[in-house]
Amino acid sequence: MSQALPASPFLCVGIKFAQIPIMKVSSIACRFTALLLRPNNPLFAKSRALPCASCRRLSTASSEAPEMDAFMEKLKNYEKIGVPKGAGTDSCDGFDLGRMRRLLHTLGNPQSKFKALHIAGTKGKGSTAAFISSILRAEGYSVGCYTSPHIRSIRERITLGTSGEAVSGKSLDSHFHKIKDELDIAIEREKGHLSQFEVFTAIALSLFAEERVQFAVVEAGLGGARDATNVFTSSDLAAAIITNIGEEHLAALGGSLQSIAVAKSGIIKEERPLVLGGPFLPHIESMIRDKALSLCSPVVSASDPGNRSVLKGFSGAYQVPHQLCDILLMIESDLHVSIELFDLQLRLLGTHQLQNAVTATCAALCLREQGWRLSDTSIRAGLESAYLVGRSQFLTSKEADKLGLPGATILLDGAHTKESAQALFDMVNMAYCDARLVVVVAMANDKDHTGFARALLSRGCLEAVCFTEVDIAGDRSRTTSSSVLKCSWIKACREMDVGFLDCRAANYELIEDQFPESSRNMGSESILFVEGSLVDSIRFGHEVLGAKSATGSGIIVVTGSLHIVSAVLGCLET
């Protein structure tokens, strides 16, 4: 069986493993899985009996507010059906932001009752929101935070007050009933065009106003210019933040990096500071800075040449992994801000999360420059306490035991783009050098599956990839079939000249007859490809890692979307 990785003070050291020829491993794995899938096998029965969200088709939209849930189910849900082409562009094809403004006017313009920090970007929005919210709470401010998507319950999208806890079902249901008549009026006036995201955004902003939060940290859903969250005026906005620009939602955002940059820069408001995360391609950053300049908005960049951030090591002591970092900022451009934070212990892992922490720190310094009380101590405390489920999340030994995998090291991460996949595996490389990996992957059908595969294959040390399927927003209409996903990985392998062994889903025998060219150059680096249910895939990965060495270590990486993370966590809730 595979063993848990050691919890040494710093894990960025070389780990050596006994090597067994891949053909022997694949033979062991194939025989094991064929045995596992026999209906009369106790292991098979145990695996199938294990409760799992993906098997139960659990609706992750449940908020413990049944009447609100029923109301929302009647509205159009683009997370389930997919976003129309051009919907996020500032054009005639874009979402009608006017209907969102009319809805909020009906509710008394709640977005004007607090100061907002509005976050757009391709990646890192949720983590940056978590860092900023945590910093503000550490200083004692009452904070509302609105993010998307959620992992288990739609309540997770709204956190309130000084605790950072998700809004309770009781509070959410109570507030919904207070404004239901106004929502009904707005929906009728807009002839049913208001979407689920628009209405829930309005509910969140209205709840923030009712709870008298001092700050609202709001993550844009798609793009920026035409997003339902882009309702703040200059007087409402404390700062706009753009984390980065990448090739995601290309069709919905105009088809190019330039059009994506235009869409996301739509959140910049006149004379309000703009915080840039980055790094950006030079021409993309120039476009965003030009927009800020046209609106007389000062720019503070987390990637400023005067900044220095250093990731010094990882620790897994007491089963609470963290990374040790320094953040040293000295910005002397549009605003003059500085801070020195040594030996930060961040619970969100990876160089990309360090960059998100720097971006959040820049935003905090912008607030301090505006006169808000924010001490270095609170900034440190906020950064160190920030945490997000499903982002580089290692299951505890108790959680692994509950899955029936004692001693397994299981990493959950919602990465679903080539950039986030690279960031994930950079983190694994630094924290667990040379660790052998099994990837369990499920993805939505609008993602770059081949690009995602290339990013993970470039890392090496992959023993197997298990392709599976999970619900997306409670439905399978946007789910990529495991067979289609596997074909994308086969394509990436052939392009990169990486050997693989492709096994049948039913009996996991080698299918050299279907892919004869894949078998000609199989060497010790060949990767085993299998298809199966989520539970079987994770168990299979555990056995493959164990087959390599009785004393070796390895990691099962569950990734491809936050929905597969949700499905695994669902197994732990029962």
Side-chain angles (χ1 to χ4, degrees):
M1 305 294 284
S2 63
Q3 303 295 314
L5 290 169
S8 59
F10 292 99
L11 294 172
C12 47
V13 295
I15 303 173
K16 303 299 182 183
F17 305 99
Q19 296 296 317
I20 295 178
I22 189 67
M23 292 302 290
K24 182 177 179 181
V25 176
S26 63
S27 177
I28 293 171
C30 293
R31 289 199 302 271
F32 163 75
T33 311
L35 177 64
L36 177 67
L37 293 177
R38 290 177 183 170
N40 61 349
N41 191 315
L43 281 176
F44 176 90
K46 183 177 181 181
S47 172
R48 290 299 183 187
L50 183 65
C52 177
S54 63
C55 300
R56 295 196 314 267
R57 294 181 61 80
L58 177 69
S59 172
T60 57
S62 175
S63 65
E64 299 165 25
E67 292 190 42
M68 189 201 74
D69 289 341
F71 181 89
M72 298 289 285
E73 279 299 314
K74 298 175 183 177
L75 304 175
K76 187 173 291 186
N77 183 356
Y78 288 112
E79 292 177 42
K80 181 181 291 187
I81 64 176
V83 180
K85 184 177 180 180
T89 60
D90 196 9
S91 68
C92 58
D93 294 324
F95 286 128
D96 179 9
L97 199 55
R99 64 174 177 249
M100 187 66 191
R101 295 194 178 105
R102 291 189 291 271
L103 169 59
L104 291 174
H105 180 74
T106 301
L107 295 174
N109 289 315
Q111 77 279 9
S112 299
K113 307 294 174 60
F114 43 75
K115 288 297 180 182
L117 293 104
H118 196 192
I119 307 174
T122 301
K123 301 300 299 180
K125 299 188 296 295
S127 298
T128 302
F131 279 127
I132 295 172
S133 300
S134 186
I135 290 169
L136 292 169
R137 289 195 300 268
E139 188 62 54
Y141 291 113
S142 177
V143 183
C145 184
Y146 180 63
T147 59
S148 60
H150 56 271
I151 300 289
R152 298 295 302 147
S153 167
I154 200 171
R155 293 188 298 105
E156 299 165 19
R157 299 188 181 204
I158 302 174
T159 61
L160 279 171
T162 58
S163 67
E165 295 294 322
V167 62
S168 69
K170 182 179 180 181
S171 296
L172 190 56
D173 211 35
S174 174
H175 187 72
F176 166 73
H177 281 289
K178 289 178 184 178
I179 64 173
K180 183 178 182 301
D181 288 345
E182 286 80 2
L183 295 176
D184 286 332
I185 290 169
I187 289 170
E188 183 177 357
R189 179 181 61 229
E190 303 298 339
K191 303 185 187 311
H193 290 300
L194 280 167
S195 69
Q196 207 175 90
F197 184 77
E198 288 168 321
V199 171
F200 197 70
T201 299
I203 291 172
L205 298 177
S206 178
L207 184 58
F208 292 162
E210 181 181 74
E211 294 292 326
R212 299 182 182 276
V213 302
Q214 293 161 285
F215 288 97
V217 180
V218 178
E219 176 189 350
L222 176 73
R226 292 296 185 94
D227 189 72
T229 62
N230 194 25
V231 292
F232 303 108
T233 64
S234 294
S235 58
D236 303 330
L237 193 68
I241 302 160
I242 300 177
T243 57
N244 50 46
I245 302 294
E247 294 180 342
E248 188 176 14
H249 304 299
L250 273 172
L253 294 175
S256 69
L257 282 178
Q258 290 86 344
S259 64
I260 292 173
V262 169
K264 295 186 186 299
S265 63
I267 69 168
I268 304 171
K269 299 298 185 294
E270 189 170 7
E271 296 183 349
R272 305 313 298 153
L274 168 67
V275 176
L276 294 179
F280 298 87
L281 292 173
H283 69 289
I284 295 298
E285 182 168 350
S286 293
M287 289 177 63
I288 298 172
R289 285 182 175 272
D290 287 347
K291 175 66 178 290
L293 181 63
S294 71
L295 294 172
C296 301
S297 297
V299 177
V300 173
S301 174
S303 302
D304 189 277
N307 298 342
R308 186 167 68 90
S309 56
V310 181
L311 197 166
K312 299 194 291 188
F314 292 80
S315 173
Y318 310 109
Q319 290 201 338
V320 182
H322 63 266
Q323 59 188 21
L324 194 66
C325 311
D326 293 341
I327 293 179
L328 309 175
L329 307 184
M330 179 64 70
I331 300 173
E332 297 180 343
S333 51
D334 295 356
L335 296 178
H336 296 262
V337 296
S338 63
I339 194 170
E340 292 185 348
L341 300 170
F342 293 98
D343 295 330
L344 279 168
Q345 297 184 33
L346 300 182
R347 297 176 65 192
L348 290 170
L349 307 178
T351 55
H352 61 300
Q353 293 294 6
L354 175 55
Q355 180 69 12
N356 292 332
V358 173
T359 303
T361 302
C362 288
L365 295 177
C366 282
L367 293 178
R368 189 155 75 183
E369 183 71 12
Q370 294 173 39
W372 294 96
R373 183 187 71 256
L374 274 172
S375 68
D376 288 6
T377 301
S378 294
I379 293 174
R380 171 185 289 276
L383 292 174
E384 291 188 335
S385 61
Y387 180 71
L388 275 180
V389 172
R391 278 75 166 185
S392 299
Q393 176 185 355
F394 285 92
L395 296 188
T396 65
S397 58
K398 289 184 178 179
E399 290 169 331
D401 288 347
K402 192 165 185 179
L403 290 176
L405 302 174
T409 300
I410 302 172
L411 171 61
L412 309 182
D413 193 277
H416 54 270
T417 68
K418 58 186 178 183
E419 294 84 5
S420 57
Q422 187 62 58
L424 168 63
F425 271 52
D426 285 346
M427 183 277 293
V428 173
N429 272 340
M430 286 185 289
Y432 302 101
C433 304
D434 300 324
R436 295 174 298 110
L437 307 177
V438 169
V439 172
V440 179
V441 61
M443 299 186 75
N445 60 15
D446 59 347
K447 306 305 177 186
D448 179 6
H449 306 135
T450 306
F452 187 85
R454 289 192 200 101
L456 298 190
L457 288 167
S458 65
R459 191 262 182 186
C461 296
L462 291 183
E463 301 295 340
V465 181
C466 305
F467 306 99
T468 189
E469 301 170 12
V470 296
D471 289 357
I472 294 177
D475 190 77
R476 290 290 176 103
S477 60
R478 289 183 57 220
T479 300
T480 302
S481 71
S482 57
S483 59
V484 169
L485 197 55
K486 183 174 67 176
C487 287
S488 296
W489 279 72
I490 290 173
K491 177 182 177 184
C493 281
R494 289 170 173 163
E495 291 174 352
M496 300 173 68
D497 197 26
V498 174
F500 62 92
L501 304 173
D502 190 354
C503 298
R504 296 185 191 275
N507 57 18
Y508 295 98
E509 296 173 352
L510 297 181
I511 51 174
E512 298 176 20
D513 56 327
Q514 292 187 36
F515 297 98
E517 65 272 27
S518 71
S519 62
R520 282 197 283 267
N521 296 316
M522 288 187 224
S524 61
E525 301 301 318
S526 296
I527 302 168
L528 181 66
F529 284 178
V530 298
E531 298 176 56
S533 72
L534 176 60
V535 172
D536 285 343
S537 294
I538 295 174
R539 287 182 180 277
F540 178 76
H542 187 49
E543 293 298 330
V544 168
L545 291 174
K548 282 297 290 278
S549 172
T551 59
S553 300
I555 306 175
I556 302 168
V557 182
V558 182
T559 189
S561 75
L562 286 172
H563 304 284
I564 191 172
V565 171
S566 173
V568 174
L569 295 178
C571 296
L572 298 173
E573 290 180 359
T574 55

